Amino acid sequence: MTGPEIVADVLVLGGGPAGAWAALSAAREGARVVLADKGYCGTSGPTASGGNNLWNIPPGPARERSVQARFEDGGRLSEPAWMYRVLEETHRRVDELAGAGYPFPSGDDGRDVRTSLQGPEYMRRMRRRVHRAGVTILDHSPALELLTAGDGSVSGAAGLQRQNEYAPWSVRAGAVVVATGGCAFLSGSFGTNVDTGDGLLMAAEVGATFSGMEFSTAYALAPTWSGHTKGLMMQFATYYDADGQPLGDGGFSAREVAMAHLATGRPVYARLDRARPDIRAAMRASQPNYFLPLDKAGIDPFTQKYPVRAVLEGTVRGTGGIRVTGTDCASDVPGLFVAGDAATRELITGGRSGGGSHNGAWAISSGTWAGAGAARFARVRSAPDRVRGAGTAGLRGPSARRQASRAIVGLVQEHTLPLRRSYRRTATSLQDSVTALDEAWAGAADLLGGSERELLQARSAAAMLAVARWATHSALARTETRGMHVRTDLPDTDPAQTRRLLSGGLGAVWVRPEHGTARADAGTVAS
């Protein structure tokens, strides 16, 4: 079987909110756009599987306070100018969604409450808008590698179509937007099975740089038998130990106490007993997927305790990703633009997780800017006739080695998922992980390969391994505690390290400080 060979102005990789906004934005600039998704655009990814809060604050004192609070909470690594810019863009695009008919709920004053989106409805509408804008959508078409021209500029991508007998596809384009999501290391977090860091690996293979990879330790609490990690409901939780004694003061403030309890191997239970009876129906309506597994188990979470576990969400809810070098979300590689979880969020969240709120706003804003930027880039540089594949690890290896892929994934999970590895770090544990992961990478080229399904598995295993290496090397290099990066051997925050860490490399990983970052008086960034 053979798949499509397409020539376009802009290729968008990823069909989540960032990818959808990027495709829509590029089409509005007059570009011929192709969107290729690993799953089915509009249904795959964490946003489509649950609710999505939004950092959407109208101009005024509340916005000012929010920016300042986030700047401090993120370890002063963000840039206020970018934060204001994201807030303004998000506000405009949410107004646009409302004008297009998105059914926002009404508050007590009769006005729309525009601080959250129902994931399934949101993404269903975004797919329809993208389709109506004339974008060609390639569903179930995971990308395997970026394509480059003779000058090294990114000029398309190639992959396989899972529902077309794994037929190859390729798109030559003037510019590419990577919006493939982050990496949750196949932890079982809700909707993140497609988030294995593929876009980050592809970007590294063309020379892209990363930022904030040490801030990849975002965990969420979920019912023990469920992967639903949407944390909005947990603000109403009281946590209990095995003897039924409360842990902490309840709500978000008690979350760290519960996490520390779990880190010692002790069980933790939750009950949503802080929710008033009059808002419980609204809670169920806003996050029905959270309650479904509890209902199936015969548990009323408002009156009965249920066990919870910590689930790593990595860079999906964390901060690190491909470095952003321009206001149009360009990377440091010509022709490559980045958006959403694939891009670093340090510009707006610093070293702290953005949760759904900031992350949802970043997906909308960065997608809009990246799509428009890619379209403008493609106007002066059409798709070249001659391109070559840039893929390496897991792509051109030996015949099918399914067991090798499973072994690599198992090793990566051993050094990322446990709380003892990522929630609290020490130089000893980090060095142990660096050694093991680097040794695995040295043999990956000889071990990982295959065809069709095995090729996709090999590529995802290689991507997970690469992301784990950038994260652990960066964590070892940050010799302090800041934001979500906690070093139990270095518990203090060092003012001299108030700067972002850049990382990159495949054969040999490198980490170095980015100069001139995290200034409290960050200059104005033009919209």
Side-chain angles (χ1 to χ4, degrees), residues 91 101 124 143 164 216 257 266 320 326 341 345 394 417 446 497 508 513:
H91 199 59
R124 181 182 70 83
N164 188 22
S216 60
V257 180
R266 292 174 290 177
D341 295 348
R345 270 187 296 267
L417 300 190
D446 294 328
Q497 297 191 49

Side-chain angles (χ1 to χ4, degrees), residues 40 57 95 168 179 275 324 376 391 444 454 500 513:
Y40 184 86
I57 306 172
D95 283 350
V324 174
R376 291 192 293 267
E454 287 73 25
R500 297 192 280 267

Side-chain angles (χ1 to χ4, degrees), residues 61 103 120 158 165 189 198 241 268 276 291 327 423 465 478 499:
E165 299 182 8
S189 175
D198 307 353
D241 63 17
V268 171
R276 302 191 315 268
F291 294 94
T327 56
Y423 178 64
L465 177 58
R478 186 170 288 282
R499 71 283 192 272

Side-chain angles (χ1 to χ4, degrees), residues 68-434:
Q68 188 59 37
R70 171 55 59 167
F71 180 69
E72 297 296 339
D73 192 44
R76 303 176 72 84
L77 296 181
S78 58
E79 295 186 20
W82 272 88
M83 299 160 81
Y84 284 118
R85 188 168 179 250
V86 165
L87 281 164
E88 186 62 31
E89 186 69 50
T90 300
H91 199 59
R92 284 198 296 266
R93 298 305 162 193
V94 171
D95 283 350
E96 178 185 310
L97 278 175
Y102 181 87
F104 286 101
S106 298
D108 293 338
D109 59 359
R111 297 181 179 180
D112 286 353
V113 178
R114 300 180 182 178
T115 55
S116 67
L117 293 163
Q118 284 287 345
E121 178 67 14
Y122 172 33
M123 292 312 302
R124 181 182 70 83
R125 288 173 176 266
M126 286 303 297
R127 179 187 174 93
R128 184 170 62 190
R129 298 179 75 203
V130 167
H131 184 266
R132 288 178 174 176
V135 174
T136 298
I137 300 175
L138 303 179
D139 291 311
H140 301 292
S141 299
L144 291 174
E145 62 180 335
L146 293 173
L147 305 176
T148 58
D151 61 0
S153 57
V154 175
S155 305
L160 299 176
Q161 291 192 310
R162 295 191 303 129
Q163 294 191 334
N164 188 22
E165 299 182 8
Y166 294 94
W169 62 265
S170 66
V171 176
R172 288 185 290 113
V176 175
V177 178
V178 170
T180 52
C183 183
F185 303 105
L186 294 179
S187 65
S189 175
F190 211 45
T192 63
N193 59 310
V194 295
D195 291 322
T196 51
D198 307 353
L200 278 67
L201 175 59
M202 288 187 283
E205 289 169 336
V206 297
T209 299
F210 301 90
S211 181
M213 294 303 291
E214 69 272 33
F215 303 118
S216 60
T217 58
Y219 284 89
L221 295 172
T224 299
W225 59 90
S226 168
H228 199 298
T229 55
K230 301 296 183 181
L232 179 63
M233 297 300 104
M234 305 312 288
Q235 66 181 301
F236 301 104
T238 301
Y239 300 104
Y240 299 88
D241 63 17
D243 296 324
Q245 297 301 309
L247 298 171
D249 298 325
F252 286 131
S253 64
R255 181 183 179 278
E256 290 302 309
V257 180
M259 289 288 294
H261 209 72
L262 287 168
T264 63
R266 292 174 290 177
V268 171
Y269 300 84
R271 184 169 60 199
L272 306 183
D273 47 20
R274 296 167 61 89
R276 302 191 315 268
D278 60 305
I279 67 170
R280 293 177 182 179
M283 290 170 62
R284 284 184 171 276
S286 66
Q287 293 271 3
N289 284 343
Y290 186 85
F291 294 94
L292 183 60
L294 295 165
D295 292 340
K296 287 185 175 180
I299 293 173
D300 177 359
F302 299 109
T303 61
Q304 296 174 278
K305 296 190 292 289
Y306 55 96
V308 295
R309 64 187 178 109
V311 183
L312 181 66
E313 295 182 305
T315 67
V316 173
R317 191 179 290 263
T319 293
I322 303 167
R323 185 188 183 208
V324 174
T325 62
T327 56
D328 56 359
C329 288
S331 73
D332 45 15
V333 180
L336 181 64
F337 296 77
V338 294
D341 295 348
T344 182
R345 270 187 296 267
E346 275 186 304
L347 293 165
I348 68 164
T349 66
R352 183 70 64 181
S353 168
S357 178
H358 292 70
N359 296 3
W362 176 247
I364 292 172
S365 300
S366 62
T368 299
W369 298 328
R376 291 192 293 267
F377 187 91
R379 283 186 197 143
V380 296
R381 178 189 178 273
S382 58
D385 293 328
R386 300 176 67 87
V387 295
R388 64 178 182 84
T392 55
L395 189 57
R396 310 190 195 284
S399 58
R401 298 282 186 91
R402 182 180 301 181
Q403 294 302 321
S405 295
R406 291 178 178 174
I408 292 293
V409 169
L411 175 71
V412 170
Q413 290 180 328
E414 177 186 343
H415 287 276
T416 54
L417 300 190
L419 288 165
R420 60 185 173 82
R421 292 288 186 184
S422 297
Y423 178 64
R424 295 291 183 263
R425 292 159 156 172
T426 66
T428 300
S429 67
L430 286 168
Q431 187 59 63
D432 175 57
S433 293
V434 162

Side-chain angles (χ1 to χ4, degrees), residues 465-481:
L465 177 58
V467 174
R469 294 177 70 220
W470 298 317
T472 52
H473 275 272
S474 297
L476 187 60
R478 186 170 288 282
T479 53
E480 62 164 352
T481 289

